[in-house]
Amino acid sequence: FDPGLAVFDGPNRLTLQVLSTIYDKAEQTQPDGSVTKLDGYAGGDTSNQGFLRWQATGNVMYNSGPFDFTYSMRYIPKTEASPFLTGFPKIPAADYHNIRMNFAVAKQMQFYVGVNNLFDRKPPIVPDNTSGSQAQNTISGFYHVFGRSYFAGTRLTF
């Protein structure tokens, strides 16, 4: 299944794709019967991790014979840090850009190279004990914590 829109097809193919996750309701019932709303937050604590209300990824994929190129952008909107924290400013929106190139050398051999977090965007800082990420001062489940990274490899099929 290819949910993308093929702009042109044939020996060259350009595909545009947008994927989004939307949480319309995420709640946790506490032992005393009260309900804690978890949607619309990036963090929480380890047992009450928040759920971003929405996030999206856009992909542009180009294929021409043995060459493939993919550009991907993930967007995380401005959000609250935690349902258990008051007075902390909202976490700003973030976007992460990745690129990947594949080269088919033979029918069963492919080389690939790429860059994750192309613009080396740093993760937002959130207070200790609210991130659900064991006091890393950010939320590694949503934000890229390693900075820019490069990769290369070979894929063989048998």
Side-chain angles (χ1 to χ4, degrees):
F1 175 70
D2 181 8
L5 168 68
V7 176
F8 58 86
D9 209 347
N12 299 316
R13 180 181 173 95
L14 178 66
T15 304
L16 307 175
Q17 181 183 59
V18 176
L19 307 168
S20 182
T21 301
I22 300 170
Y23 280 100
D24 62 349
K25 184 177 180 181
E27 298 176 339
Q28 183 178 54
T29 302
Q30 304 302 323
D32 66 1
S34 64
V35 175
T36 302
K37 178 182 169 222
L38 298 174
D39 58 303
Y41 298 96
D45 61 29
T46 303
S47 64
N48 299 315
Q49 182 68 46
F51 295 87
L52 295 172
R53 190 163 315 263
W54 75 276
Q55 59 183 315
T57 300
N59 297 305
V60 177
M61 297 166 278
Y62 176 75
N63 174 266
S64 179
F67 173 76
D68 291 321
F69 174 82
T70 301
Y71 165 79
S72 177
M73 195 238 2
R74 185 166 57 100
Y75 176 76
I76 304 163
K78 182 163 121 176
T79 189
E80 299 284 339
S82 168
F84 310 105
L85 180 67
T86 58
F88 188 77
K90 285 192 173 195
I91 298 171
D95 52 272
Y96 296 97
H97 303 259
N98 306 310
I99 58 172
R100 178 183 173 120
M101 291 176 282
N102 300 311
F103 308 94
V105 178
K107 188 172 183 174
Q108 296 177 314
M109 180 185 236
Q110 183 182 85
F111 291 112
Y112 59 88
V113 296
V115 181
N116 290 326
N117 196 2
L118 183 64
F119 302 115
D120 199 22
R121 182 173 184 114
K122 306 297 184 241
I125 302 300
V126 298
D128 282 346
N129 300 324
T130 62
S131 67
S133 59
Q134 308 304 317
Q136 292 180 8
N137 293 331
T138 195
I139 303 160
S140 59
F142 298 128
Y143 303 100
H144 200 292
V145 297
F146 295 112
R148 182 183 305 122
S149 61
Y150 304 89
F151 61 91
T154 302
R155 187 169 107 182
L156 303 171
T157 54
F158 300 96

